[in-house]
Amino acid sequence: MINSNYLRILILVGLSLFNAALCFEAEDLFVPLEAEPSVLSEANLNENDADFWRKNAQNFLKEVLEDPEKKLKPKKAKNIILFLGDGMSLTTVAAARMYLGNERNSLSFEKFAHFGLSKTYCVDKQVADSACSATAYLCGVKANYGTMGISAKVPLNDCKGQNDPSKQTVSIAKWAQDQCKETGFVTTSKVTDASPGGLYAHIANRYWQNDKDVRKNGCDPSETIDIARQLVENEVSKKFKIVLAGGREEFRDSSVLDEEKKPGKRGDNRDLIKEWVECRNKQGNATFVHDKRGLDTIRNDTDYVLGLFNHGHFPYNLQIVEQKLAKPTLSEMTEAAIKHLQRQNNENGFFLFVEGALIDKAHHDNYARFALDETREFSKAIELARNMTSVDDTLIVVTADHSHTMTYNGYSKRGGDILGLNTAIGLDGLPYTSLSYANGMGYYHTYNENGSRIDLSIYNYSNPFHRYPATIPLLSETHGAEDVGIYASGPESHLFIGNYEQSYIPLLMAHAAQIGPFATDDGKCPASTSKTILPNISLLFLLILSTFIKS
Ligand SMILES: *[C@@H]1O[C@H](CO)[C@@H](O)[C@H](O)[C@H]1NC(C)=O
Ligand SMILES: *[C@@H]1O[C@H](CO)[C@@H](O)[C@H](O)[C@H]1NC(C)=O
Ligand SMILES: *[C@@H]1O[C@H](CO)[C@@H](O)[C@H](O)[C@H]1NC(C)=O
Ligand SMILES: *[C@@H]1O[C@H](CO)[C@@H](O)[C@H](O)[C@H]1NC(C)=O
Ligand SMILES: *[C@@H]1O[C@H](CO)[C@@H](O)[C@H](O)[C@H]1NC(C)=O
Ligand SMILES: *[C@@H]1O[C@H](CO)[C@@H](O)[C@H](O)[C@H]1NC(C)=O
Ligand SMILES: [Zn+2]
């Protein structure tokens, strides 16, 4: 198909003078306009018909016009659910559509009424980590890389800085609790990891998850309280009615084996899970569960639930399902958490945070298949949540904390395998994949020891542990800096349109629910029927927004 001698000549004459010509030739060569017939599947055949696209657009418009959410009736959100796809870049979303089977598919949250973008940089870095960004989208304040629940006045690793109340940030979970809402969270990472930690912890290093790790940085664990202890002891933590996650290892001593015979990581001989149960039992009925069965059989008169289903982060969803592991999936945990919060029958409603944490972990390893599958599961959990709640009283916001370096590139044919080889080839005469990374361990599956590219057709792309090509060798693929999507459905979801700082997100949610800075009668816990928002509050909000726009 391609004349490789011609190719070599082209490469040889690749001097700067010829660069423009080379690019032109390359494009002509590899994307011939008289391409072979397209490989549209049965389902896509009608795309050849212009009317198909016109009718599609008409239907979309009809849906938009009939959508009660788009009529912008100001309404108070009784419940808020914030879904965080860790590292769920827009590229990840686009590739996940194809993973669902067809380019025309949408993930559940892409059908939400309103969409915006957020700028994710943190105070000291262009590219955010999950800790500084959690401080932004949960507390409304941008922070330093690696720090969580504190302002940028506290530098990374400042042992005592996190204890200064004037430098601590308050999360939307606290704002919700102050208005007597129920609160809880779900994640597939460790319960002490960066994203959920933003709800309850104040920490100058996100990796201080147990006392030993605090010591490693030369801090005294009796002064610098680790994140696991903060989940037991902090005031916000005490009010969480349900917490479902991984990460048992941060709660028990290294001499103690957990329910799956894995050792703890602590050095202080404490059993913080036991302490959590004892402490919460003084407030109501509390229970700890460690597997799916335990989660399924929680008594309905339980007030406080702690479910830690793995020693560390969760295994990938594909592993849970294929190996029938005794662990709940993200959507099963989401369902359990919503049911539990609804069962409290609190007329003030609830705030729930749900994180699909493994999209990020998979990207860091260049495991594109796992990343897309985790995105599919995340989308399912959101669909379930929308089904279980009413758009009249429950605001659902879906976003990501930062991007990743995965690209979805080349001119692959419609219907082509998103996880396989592209149909085109590189100037070196070798094929490439539709998905690839700017950096990561995939480098070693991309280049041989002489620095020339490996023939990528030798790999088995059905293996979810296959690392996708990467240009720069790194132990862990990095985050990306470009904006991420924000998808909103429910009361006041129209506030979320536009392109703005990530740190506005909790403020917008607080406005919708009239909590935090927008609470009207602080401490009295107003029962929330769906009454309209008072005009003076709207004015206050506009005032704040206008100061943002000026800056
Ligand atoms: C709670 O469970 C008991 C049985 O275990 C059942 O009789 C009762 O109706 C349940 N209550 C609610 C509110 O679901
Ligand atoms: C706690 O559970 C017990 C049964 O174990 C039940 O009798 C009691 O009503 C529960 N208390 C609360 C406050 O729900
Ligand atoms: C949500 O509801 C729709 C419509 O009833 C249904 O088709 C879909 O399967 C539900 N989704 C989930 C995840 O339960
Ligand atoms: C790398 O270069 C060396 C020396 O030219 C050669 O012996 C070896 O086969 C090359 N390796 C590959 C994978 O091409
Ligand atoms: C490719 O990987 C899949 C999944 O790991 C495995 O089932 C299959 O046997 C592999 N195929 C080959 C040819 O090794
Ligand atoms: C808004 O108006 C209500 C009633 O008119 C009043 O009670 C409340 O204090 C006002 N809030 C603010 C922030 O002005
Ligand atoms: Zn990450």
Side-chain angles (χ1 to χ4, degrees), residues 360 364 402 479:
D360 175 74
H364 280 306
H402 52 70
H479 298 165

Side-chain angles (χ1 to χ4, degrees), residues 176-193:
Q177 290 170 357
D178 286 349
Q179 292 294 301
C180 300
K181 291 185 190 298
E182 305 295 342
T183 52
F185 68 90
V186 169
T187 178
T188 45
S189 69
K190 293 193 218 180
V191 68
T192 46
D193 206 32

Side-chain angles (χ1 to χ4, degrees), residues 416-475:
D417 180 2
I418 182 69
L419 287 156
L421 295 174
N422 208 310
T423 39
I425 58 166
L427 283 176
D428 51 9
L430 296 171
Y432 60 101
T433 46
S434 291
L435 300 181
S436 58
Y437 292 86
N439 58 50
M441 287 290 276
Y443 175 87
Y444 298 101
H445 297 257
T446 314
Y447 298 99
N448 64 30
E449 70 266 30
N450 297 338
S452 54
R453 221 154 62 80
I454 294 169
D455 183 346
L456 299 182
S457 64
I458 63 174
Y459 296 122
N460 178 0
Y461 294 95
S462 305
N463 176 5
F465 289 100
H466 177 71
R467 295 183 199 272
Y468 278 68
T471 310
I472 311 290
L474 282 185
L475 282 177

Side-chain angles (χ1 to χ4, degrees), residues 145-190:
Y145 184 84
T147 70
M148 189 159 57
I150 46 184
S151 75
K153 285 197 173 137
V154 185
L156 186 71
N157 293 335
D158 178 351
C159 299
K160 290 184 191 165
Q162 68 192 50
N163 297 336
D164 179 348
S166 75
K167 295 173 184 165
Q168 294 177 345
T169 58
V170 175
S171 80
I172 186 168
K174 172 86 166 72
W175 295 343
Q177 290 170 357
D178 286 349
Q179 292 294 301
C180 300
K181 291 185 190 298
E182 305 295 342
T183 52
F185 68 90
V186 169
T187 178
T188 45
S189 69
K190 293 193 218 180

Side-chain angles (χ1 to χ4, degrees), residues 519-520 534 536-537 540:
T520 41
L534 301 168
N536 57 353
I537 298 299
L540 183 64

Side-chain angles (χ1 to χ4, degrees), residues 55-358:
K55 276 194 194 128
N56 249 12
Q58 290 283 7
N59 287 341
F60 176 70
L61 184 63
K62 192 155 165 271
E63 273 174 36
V64 169
L65 295 176
E66 283 171 4
D67 190 338
E69 280 197 67
K70 290 187 171 139
K71 291 190 180 136
L72 310 185
K73 256 181 289 162
K75 217 184 241 179
K76 183 167 165 177
K78 176 181 168 189
N79 310 311
I80 302 176
I81 309 179
L82 174 59
F83 278 93
L84 195 276
D86 200 309
M88 190 182 69
S89 59
L90 292 171
T91 311
T92 308
V93 174
R97 289 176 206 143
M98 195 53 217
Y99 183 71
L100 293 179
N102 193 311
E103 299 84 349
R104 287 208 314 272
N105 281 340
S106 296
L107 300 180
S108 61
F109 48 89
E110 292 188 276
K111 295 171 193 149
F112 279 6
H114 298 101
F115 174 75
L117 287 169
S118 95
K119 299 181 243 182
T120 64
Y121 64 90
C122 51
V123 170
D124 60 342
K125 299 242 188 205
Q126 292 177 356
V127 183
D129 83 311
S130 293
C132 69
S133 65
T135 314
Y137 66 77
L138 291 172
C139 307
V141 176
K142 292 215 178 196
N144 286 326
Y145 184 84
T147 70
M148 189 159 57
I150 46 184
S151 75
K153 285 197 173 137
V154 185
L156 186 71
N157 293 335
D158 178 351
C159 299
K160 290 184 191 165
Q162 68 192 50
N163 297 336
D164 179 348
S166 75
K167 295 173 184 165
Q168 294 177 345
T169 58
V170 175
S171 80
I172 186 168
K174 172 86 166 72
W175 295 343
Q177 290 170 357
D178 286 349
Q179 292 294 301
C180 300
K181 291 185 190 298
E182 305 295 342
T183 52
F185 68 90
V186 169
T187 178
T188 45
S189 69
K190 293 193 218 180
V191 68
T192 46
D193 206 32
S195 310
L199 292 166
Y200 62 88
H202 309 284
I203 200 93
N205 181 326
R206 58 178 284 187
Y207 293 112
W208 292 344
Q209 302 192 13
N210 61 60
D211 61 313
K212 271 190 174 172
D213 289 335
V214 170
R215 255 185 234 287
K216 273 185 203 153
N217 281 94
C219 304
D220 175 354
S222 69
E223 282 177 340
T224 304
I225 310 298
D226 61 79
I227 302 175
R229 267 187 65 192
Q230 292 197 38
L231 179 69
V232 180
E233 296 166 12
N234 286 2
E235 288 309 310
V236 174
S237 309
K238 285 181 186 166
K239 291 188 178 166
F240 290 132
K241 286 285 170 68
I242 186 157
V243 173
L244 305 176
R248 290 189 295 255
E249 62 193 12
E250 308 294 348
F251 291 75
R252 294 193 176 121
D253 197 82
S254 53
S255 62
V256 175
L257 297 184
D258 76 357
E259 289 76 0
E260 293 179 288
K261 308 277 179 290
K262 299 272 172 41
K265 286 187 156 180
R266 303 192 66 83
D268 57 6
N269 218 13
R270 288 172 79 155
D271 183 339
L272 291 178
I273 294 176
K274 200 158 150 260
E275 288 184 35
W276 182 93
V277 173
E278 281 165 6
C279 173
R280 298 301 179 274
N281 258 327
K282 290 185 190 134
Q283 304 169 208
N285 280 343
T287 191
F288 168 70
V289 293
H290 69 272
D291 61 9
K292 167 118 167 58
R293 205 174 155 274
L295 182 65
D296 289 343
T297 51
I298 290 171
R299 289 179 48 111
N300 62 13
D301 57 5
T302 308
D303 302 303
Y304 296 89
V305 178
L306 175 63
L308 299 179
F309 303 104
N310 210 38
H311 59 286
H313 304 309
F314 265 58
Y316 291 110
N317 188 77
L318 272 176
Q319 295 175 292
I320 294 179
V321 173
E322 277 170 15
Q323 299 166 31
K324 299 195 172 62
L325 302 179
K327 301 175 197 295
T329 62
L330 182 64
S331 37
E332 286 164 351
M333 289 196 286
T334 303
E335 182 176 8
I338 294 174
K339 277 193 180 149
H340 183 77
L341 293 172
Q342 287 175 338
R343 202 183 292 130
Q344 308 303 309
N345 232 343
N346 181 339
E347 59 181 0
N348 296 299
F350 63 81
F351 168 80
L352 173 67
F353 174 71
V354 180
E355 183 194 23
L358 304 183

